[in-house]
Amino acid sequence: MAAKTSASFVDPFIRIAVSLFEDVSRQTIALLGILLASLLIVPWLVNDYLLTVLIVVLYFAFTGQAWNIMMGFAGQLSLGHAIYVGLGAYIAAVLFARFGIAPWIGFLAVIPVAAACGATIGFLAFRFRVAGVYFAILTIAFAEFARIGFDHLDYVNASAGLFLPVAQYARNDLWHLRGNPTMFYYVILAAAAFAFVVCRALLKSRIGYFWLAIREDEQAARAAGIDTFRYKMAAVMISAVITSFAGVFYAFFYNNLFPEQVFNISRSIEIILGPIIGGIGTLFGPILGAFVLTGLAELLNAAMAAIGFDLPGAKQVFYGICLLLVVVALPEGVWPWLARRIGVSESRQ
Amino acid sequence: MPIDVYLNVAVAGILTGLVYGLMALGLSVIFGVVRVVNFAHGEMMSIAMYLTVLLFSGLHLDPLVMLVPIAAVLFVFGYALQAGLINPFISRPEHSQFLLLVALALIIVNALLILFGPDARTVQTSYAFDSFQWGALIVDATKLYAGAAAIIAAALLFAFFRFAPVGKAIRACADNYTGALVVGLDVKRLYALTFGIGAACVGAAGVMMTLIVDVTPMIGPAYTLLAFVIVITGGLGSMAGALLGGLLIGVTEALAGLLFTPSAKSMFAFAILVLVLLFRPQGILGKRSI
Amino acid sequence: MTALLSLKRVSKRFRGLLAVDGVSFAVSAGDLFAIIGPNGAGKTTLFNMIAGAIVPDQGSINFAGKPIGGLPADAVCRRGIARTFQIVRPFPALTVEDNVIIGALLHIRDVGKARTRAGEILRSLDLFEQRNRIAATLTLPDRKRLEVARALATEPRLLLLDEVMAGLRPTESDRMVAILRSLNRDNGLTIVLIEHVMRAVMALASNVLVLDHGIAIAQGKPEAIVRDSAVVQSYLGAEPV
């Protein structure tokens, strides 16, 4: 009897899990399996430096996936995603530093704020038909507004920066996100995997189809009965909430927050580079893009260190050239091109 | 505070606003004709500002003398950019063009950072501390010259589009792309010319801006955003709107700097943007479109 | 019998031009109603007002006994009016099947069931074999049928078709005529179509409305319309029947 109850309780989850891999080709499952297995064992194989690089890669795979919901699925170009990272980082950090509230509880407080912020931007833009690049500019304006605002907000130490107490914990404390890089690695790996699964589930669901319709042709989508305002709002809010978790992670991984850095427009651009280089609207694009971009940037750093060269800005020039080349030569991104080469198809892109 | 303090600050804001307006005019002209959003606009202005600083510190050339040559350099830069890089993107999706210019902006900002370092550069002209006084009104000489030059440049631009045959041809392109092709206009060349003219505007604005503010590599993105705020506030596709928006934002920033703190002044520009979007989404002088 | 769709003195002005001037007509359930007229007569403007893409300046539009004039396009579609566009607009980067699934998801919440329904519709429109192709790669006749399929998937009571025959060869337009007739007769779907191809109108329509310069100049059975001298002068005279 007890076994039966637990089976019927577990059953829907199994069905959801199975449906997630419905009509996924064998190659794709194999690819995913290899990727996940190698990412799981990585901490035993690499040193702390490489592990930190991989944390950055997974961080951008996570934020790229979240940004992709807006641009890749629903076709709304946001260039101000740093605002959600910043809100998540500051709220969780303040709650921890001042009240000792664990980041996971803090994230519960972040969720409504990030959603409300996304909803405000979305409402202003979609109600008043601010579309395309003007929408992008509105998102930048909000991020800049937040940057200047936090720069003058004494409660979070304004431009002097907010610091988390860095206690030397003898062991990893997952609940308070205090520990060594290996723990942070697994946290961000889990987050990136979660974002991947959520994005796939969204894309395969009713709302995902409606987003694609809006991305492709908003007027035709309306003619097909889709309440485009409502679904665009949903895209902004979901993307905002997922992105804000990256902020929580950021605060506890780096332990210091400066408005000038967290909300800076170049943070927003870093978020969008991965999915653009990897392939907008694809599920593997943000992951591949994050690997390619961070990998190349680290190679550049290493090369410059080897010849004893230190140029602030060189990495950004390199990012700019990468972006330029991809936009000119591979406008679909690297993944769709690569997928055709290796014979893996991602349906519906 | 006495009323004349407000008056002085407002006049300074108007003069700065004229330079803002000229900068935004460049953006508006490029968008109105080529339909490309120049996301590297502020960065192009910072190139002009560094040229001014270099020529001043190296050859002691006065910024006002350098106004026309530097605008010409930016014209060539803009022309080449459109002809070489952007023209193939005309038929690409909007976000694709936008990302191309984001990439360009990223490269410009950081190339300037590599070349000149992060420190602020400034131009100390002989008249840097001069001012004119009319009764209670005191006006900085630099701001007055900058504002006057902006008015002249804007007037020349208006005249060009109204009277010059090339200017009329460009307007024809803006009104009807296919029609312009049909009557045999070389649209690609006209687009490149337009981008060059927009770049020259922002170049001239950059030269005058060095009289008012210090230049760092990082000001590019901030001015790009400011130009957008001005253009959207004034009304897309309206040249007069860009100037008016510039004045409005200039005065708002100046008064906000006086009443609150100068470093927070951009917040008020954004607040105006949000108000405009809420109550008059087409901008102050924009026409409503469906 | 009350009309499914009725318009009363509907007008729309663009700047100075009166595009639609006080047009009234009624479409009964089960009707196959054609709107004809020369270019610039205001046919598409009239359609856009019914479909909610444009708000009428004056007049009332009623559907199934309720006013719909001024409702947004998506709300009109949810009330049961589906449309196609004069210049076809399938979702270009998506597959044929996904295009139709999107339509079907309006009333079917489950994606699997929507896919089944989309399959049925694609079969009835001879598009099933092409279901995995990207919409942008289809030929024009196929894209036109795809638009009809997507519209049908929203389970409309009234289908608005804006020149679905234009640009089709005679064999292709005969195929479309057969499809529309079957939808109308076998499924009882009410259809309003704008059409230039008179052969199709004569073959299909049970009622015809003639627009000229925004004014309804004639209305009646197709056989009567072709004999109407005003119609012949303004429109049919220019084209052989």
mmCIF file of all heavy atoms in Angstrom, chain B residues 9 22 43 94 104 116 120 137 170 174 178 228 270 285:
data_model
loop_
_atom_site.group_PDB
_atom_site.id
_atom_site.type_symbol
_atom_site.label_atom_id
_atom_site.label_comp_id
_atom_site.label_asym_id
_atom_site.label_seq_id
_atom_site.Cartn_x
_atom_site.Cartn_y
_atom_site.Cartn_z
ATOM 1 N N VAL B 9 22.324 78.605 -13.634
ATOM 2 C CA VAL B 9 22.448 77.165 -13.882
ATOM 3 C C VAL B 9 21.595 76.762 -15.082
ATOM 4 O O VAL B 9 22.018 75.968 -15.924
ATOM 5 C CB VAL B 9 22.056 76.375 -12.613
ATOM 6 C CG1 VAL B 9 21.912 74.892 -12.948
ATOM 7 C CG2 VAL B 9 23.107 76.571 -11.544
ATOM 8 N N LEU B 22 23.066 68.774 -30.692
ATOM 9 C CA LEU B 22 23.823 68.542 -31.921
ATOM 10 C C LEU B 22 24.256 67.078 -32.003
ATOM 11 O O LEU B 22 24.155 66.434 -33.045
ATOM 12 C CB LEU B 22 25.049 69.461 -31.972
ATOM 13 C CG LEU B 22 25.905 69.349 -33.232
ATOM 14 C CD1 LEU B 22 25.097 69.703 -34.468
ATOM 15 C CD2 LEU B 22 27.133 70.231 -33.129
ATOM 16 N N GLU B 43 30.574 56.670 -28.444
ATOM 17 C CA GLU B 43 31.961 56.239 -28.603
ATOM 18 C C GLU B 43 32.623 57.032 -29.731
ATOM 19 O O GLU B 43 33.799 57.395 -29.650
ATOM 20 C CB GLU B 43 32.015 54.740 -28.900
ATOM 21 C CG GLU B 43 31.712 53.847 -27.700
ATOM 22 C CD GLU B 43 30.222 53.760 -27.362
ATOM 23 O OE1 GLU B 43 29.405 54.377 -28.073
ATOM 24 O OE2 GLU B 43 29.876 53.079 -26.379
ATOM 25 N N GLU B 94 16.944 43.824 -37.445
ATOM 26 C CA GLU B 94 17.313 44.983 -36.643
ATOM 27 C C GLU B 94 18.338 44.629 -35.556
ATOM 28 O O GLU B 94 19.322 45.334 -35.368
ATOM 29 C CB GLU B 94 16.031 45.496 -35.997
ATOM 30 C CG GLU B 94 16.041 46.950 -35.644
ATOM 31 C CD GLU B 94 14.713 47.354 -35.006
ATOM 32 O OE1 GLU B 94 14.108 46.499 -34.322
ATOM 33 O OE2 GLU B 94 14.309 48.498 -35.179
ATOM 34 N N LEU B 104 31.252 47.264 -32.289
ATOM 35 C CA LEU B 104 32.104 48.388 -32.648
ATOM 36 C C LEU B 104 32.329 49.300 -31.437
ATOM 37 O O LEU B 104 33.455 49.745 -31.170
ATOM 38 C CB LEU B 104 31.437 49.171 -33.782
ATOM 39 C CG LEU B 104 32.297 50.246 -34.405
ATOM 40 C CD1 LEU B 104 33.382 49.611 -35.245
ATOM 41 C CD2 LEU B 104 31.452 51.171 -35.253
ATOM 42 N N PHE B 116 45.033 55.421 -24.250
ATOM 43 C CA PHE B 116 45.151 56.626 -23.422
ATOM 44 C C PHE B 116 45.066 56.361 -21.930
ATOM 45 O O PHE B 116 45.220 57.280 -21.134
ATOM 46 C CB PHE B 116 44.065 57.641 -23.811
ATOM 47 C CG PHE B 116 44.147 58.085 -25.236
ATOM 48 C CD1 PHE B 116 43.276 57.586 -26.184
ATOM 49 C CD2 PHE B 116 45.132 58.975 -25.636
ATOM 50 C CE1 PHE B 116 43.368 57.980 -27.512
ATOM 51 C CE2 PHE B 116 45.223 59.379 -26.956
ATOM 52 C CZ PHE B 116 44.349 58.880 -27.899
ATOM 53 N N ALA B 120 41.285 60.793 -16.699
ATOM 54 C CA ALA B 120 40.564 61.841 -17.408
ATOM 55 C C ALA B 120 41.561 62.780 -18.077
ATOM 56 O O ALA B 120 42.605 63.122 -17.509
ATOM 57 C CB ALA B 120 39.682 62.597 -16.436
ATOM 58 N N LEU B 137 23.291 87.698 -14.559
ATOM 59 C CA LEU B 137 23.583 86.490 -15.337
ATOM 60 C C LEU B 137 25.073 86.372 -15.639
ATOM 61 O O LEU B 137 25.671 87.281 -16.210
ATOM 62 C CB LEU B 137 22.775 86.537 -16.646
ATOM 63 C CG LEU B 137 22.923 85.339 -17.569
ATOM 64 C CD1 LEU B 137 22.366 84.088 -16.920
ATOM 65 C CD2 LEU B 137 22.211 85.609 -18.886
ATOM 66 N N ILE B 170 18.858 62.783 -50.210
ATOM 67 C CA ILE B 170 18.904 61.958 -49.002
ATOM 68 C C ILE B 170 17.522 61.887 -48.362
ATOM 69 O O ILE B 170 17.066 60.820 -47.927
ATOM 70 C CB ILE B 170 19.948 62.516 -48.003
ATOM 71 C CG1 ILE B 170 21.361 62.245 -48.530
ATOM 72 C CG2 ILE B 170 19.769 61.901 -46.619
ATOM 73 C CD1 ILE B 170 22.462 62.864 -47.707
ATOM 74 N N ALA B 174 15.062 58.681 -47.509
ATOM 75 C CA ALA B 174 14.477 58.408 -46.199
ATOM 76 C C ALA B 174 12.978 58.169 -46.335
ATOM 77 O O ALA B 174 12.414 57.298 -45.676
ATOM 78 C CB ALA B 174 14.747 59.577 -45.254
ATOM 79 N N THR B 178 12.468 52.312 -51.934
ATOM 80 C CA THR B 178 12.281 51.699 -53.253
ATOM 81 C C THR B 178 12.150 52.767 -54.326
ATOM 82 O O THR B 178 12.729 52.661 -55.410
ATOM 83 C CB THR B 178 11.015 50.824 -53.269
ATOM 84 O OG1 THR B 178 10.723 50.447 -51.936
ATOM 85 C CG2 THR B 178 11.212 49.596 -54.106
ATOM 86 N N PHE B 228 20.317 58.658 -27.073
ATOM 87 C CA PHE B 228 19.066 57.939 -27.291
ATOM 88 C C PHE B 228 17.931 58.536 -26.472
ATOM 89 O O PHE B 228 16.815 58.715 -26.963
ATOM 90 C CB PHE B 228 19.220 56.466 -26.939
ATOM 91 C CG PHE B 228 19.877 55.684 -28.018
ATOM 92 C CD1 PHE B 228 21.093 55.083 -27.816
ATOM 93 C CD2 PHE B 228 19.272 55.569 -29.250
ATOM 94 C CE1 PHE B 228 21.706 54.378 -28.818
ATOM 95 C CE2 PHE B 228 19.873 54.859 -30.262
ATOM 96 C CZ PHE B 228 21.097 54.271 -30.038
ATOM 97 N N PHE B 270 16.791 59.911 -17.219
ATOM 98 C CA PHE B 270 16.038 58.672 -17.408
ATOM 99 C C PHE B 270 14.595 58.833 -16.933
ATOM 100 O O PHE B 270 13.670 58.274 -17.531
ATOM 101 C CB PHE B 270 16.693 57.503 -16.660
ATOM 102 C CG PHE B 270 18.087 57.223 -17.119
ATOM 103 C CD1 PHE B 270 19.072 56.867 -16.211
ATOM 104 C CD2 PHE B 270 18.431 57.336 -18.455
ATOM 105 C CE1 PHE B 270 20.365 56.623 -16.630
ATOM 106 C CE2 PHE B 270 19.727 57.097 -18.877
ATOM 107 C CZ PHE B 270 20.698 56.740 -17.961
ATOM 108 N N LEU B 285 7.988 66.094 -30.155
ATOM 109 C CA LEU B 285 7.648 66.599 -31.489
ATOM 110 C C LEU B 285 7.413 65.465 -32.485
ATOM 111 O O LEU B 285 7.335 65.696 -33.684
ATOM 112 C CB LEU B 285 8.760 67.511 -32.010
ATOM 113 C CG LEU B 285 8.969 68.837 -31.264
ATOM 114 C CD1 LEU B 285 10.049 69.663 -31.956
ATOM 115 C CD2 LEU B 285 7.684 69.641 -31.183
#
